[in-house]
Structure formats: structure tokens, C-alpha cells
Amino acid sequence: MQKISKILSIMALVSLMTGLLFFTVPPASAANSISAPVPETALFAAGSHHTIAIKTDSSLFTCGWLGAEYGASAKAVMDSEWMAVSAGYCYTVAIKHDGSLWAWGLNRYSQLGDGTNTYRSVPIRIGAASDWAAVSASLAEKPYTVALKTDGSLWAWGNNEYGQLGNGTSVSSNAPVRIGTATDWAAISAGYAHTIALKKDGSLWGWGFNDGLLGDGANTSRYVPVRI
């Protein structure tokens, strides 16, 4: 009896080992897998009180104080033709794929560039030009805006208390004004009351309020672009 029991035990062990030897893990392709999410946001910008984002389908979404009712869920803004966006102090400027320039939000200092200082709750087109390439909004409480056109020309509007528009004066403008005659500007960035820009040759330039912000070795405000 003991012999039969031992034989049965050996047979059970062999059966178990055989099962283990022939057990295989399903290939990864056959197993359930989790794919990485496809990115939907192409560009984004953070303003003083709001956030703007352009999705890969060129639709524009916004949330925050000037977005979706004091921080409610994001909402779409108009159509799906947006290419670039910049968020400033309670206002937004954006460019569509057709090169047109649009703006909305607070406008006390004519930072929208529509020729007025009227608050705009929806995007309005700025001028009739269709060759805008880049735009930068200021986060200052007295804001201004700078922009580039596809021909490399430089433009600015809004508050100009410290020469941040770069047009040689301290006179503010409620519409885009051209800065100089150069056509080799490549990149721009609007600060609190000063502007920094790059030319196509890689040279760095700055203008506006200067307590050392411009990096030109001085503490004197500059009303026209100076090379750094």
C-alpha cells in the first residue's frame, strides 16, 4: 500500500513539473497593454490671472479670471485656426494660421492695439495685416505688446512710460507702430517695462526701463533698441 502511495506521489510530482515546463507567458503583443496618451497641447502661455493653450488641432482653450469664469473648467475660444499665443496682464494676443493678429481682455493702456482702450471679452482682429509671425504680451500692470512680422520688421503698442516700445519716445500708442526700419528681427520677449530681442545674426538687443535689466552695463532707460 505504501508502495502504491509513493508511486502516486511521484506521478503527481511529474505531472506538476510537466505543467510548469510547458506553461508559457503570453507575448506582449497578445496581452492587454496601455498606450501612452497622445499629446493634445501644442502651445501654452501663462498670464497674470489666466492660462491659454493651443491644441494640436489648432483650437484655443482658456481658463482663469479672463478665461472661464474665475477658474472654471477650460473653454474653447472661437475656431480652430490658432497658431501662436501670448498671455499678459489680464489680456491675450494671438495669431492665426492666416497671419492675422487678434487680442482680447483688459485694454486700459491700449495693449490690445485696436485703436481704443476698451475692454474686449472676445477676440477681435487687430488691423488688416496678414503677415504677423510672433507676438509677446507684457505681464506689467501697465502693459504693452511687441510683435514681429514675417518680413522681419518689429512692431509695438500700448504703454510706453519707459520707452519699452522702442520708438524713441515715451508716448504710448493704441495701435501697432513700427520700430525702426530693420528687417532682420528674429525673436522678441516683452518684460515688465523692458523688451529683449534677437536679430537673425544672433545679436542681442534691449530697450525700455533699465536698472541693470538690459545688460548693457548701464542703469539708463533706453528709448530705442541698443545692442547688448
Side-chain angles (χ1 to χ4, degrees):
M1 190 70 179
Q2 290 180 350
K3 191 172 183 179
I4 294 174
S5 178
K6 184 179 290 186
I7 292 173
L8 290 174
S9 297
I10 294 173
M11 290 177 65
L13 181 60
V14 170
S15 177
L16 175 62
M17 293 301 296
T18 302
L20 290 175
L21 288 173
F22 285 93
F23 175 77
T24 58
V25 178
S29 59
N32 291 332
S33 59
I34 300 175
S35 300
V38 177
E40 291 188 8
T41 302
L43 297 169
F44 62 89
S48 61
H49 297 74
H50 65 299
T51 303
I52 303 287
I54 297 178
K55 287 191 172 184
T56 52
D57 64 0
S58 297
S59 59
L60 182 65
F61 281 75
T62 176
C63 60
W65 183 46
L66 285 174
E69 300 298 332
Y70 297 90
S73 58
K75 66 176 183 180
V77 177
M78 292 180 65
D79 45 44
S80 298
E81 302 174 2
W82 303 97
M83 178 185 73
V85 66
S86 182
Y89 186 85
C90 299
Y91 80 107
T92 304
V93 284
I95 299 173
K96 288 189 176 183
H97 284 292
D98 63 4
S100 59
L101 179 66
W102 298 72
W104 61 98
L106 296 188
N107 195 24
R108 181 179 301 173
Y109 296 94
S110 299
Q111 59 265 39
L112 301 188
D114 65 341
T116 76
N117 60 356
T118 303
Y119 166 77
R120 306 293 185 178
S121 60
V122 295
I124 59 168
R125 185 167 181 172
I126 308 304
S130 295
D131 56 352
W132 296 101
V135 65
S136 181
S138 170
L139 287 169
E141 294 181 13
K142 296 181 179 180
Y144 69 103
T145 307
V146 291
L148 295 179
K149 287 192 172 184
T150 54
D151 63 359
S153 59
L154 176 67
W155 300 72
W157 58 95
N159 183 53
N160 194 28
E161 184 177 357
Y162 298 102
Q164 54 264 50
L165 299 191
N167 64 352
T169 76
S170 58
V171 179
S172 299
S173 176
N174 61 14
V177 292
R178 184 168 180 176
I179 310 306
T181 59
T183 57
D184 56 350
W185 296 102
I188 49 170
S189 182
Y192 193 85
H194 75 292
T195 306
I196 299 296
L198 282 174
K199 286 194 171 184
K200 293 178 181 178
D201 63 2
S203 59
L204 181 66
W205 298 69
W207 60 96
F209 181 72
N210 187 22
D211 60 355
L213 299 173
L214 300 185
D216 63 345
N219 293 313
T220 303
S221 294
R222 305 292 187 177
Y223 294 84
V224 294
V226 294
R227 185 166 182 171
I228 309 305

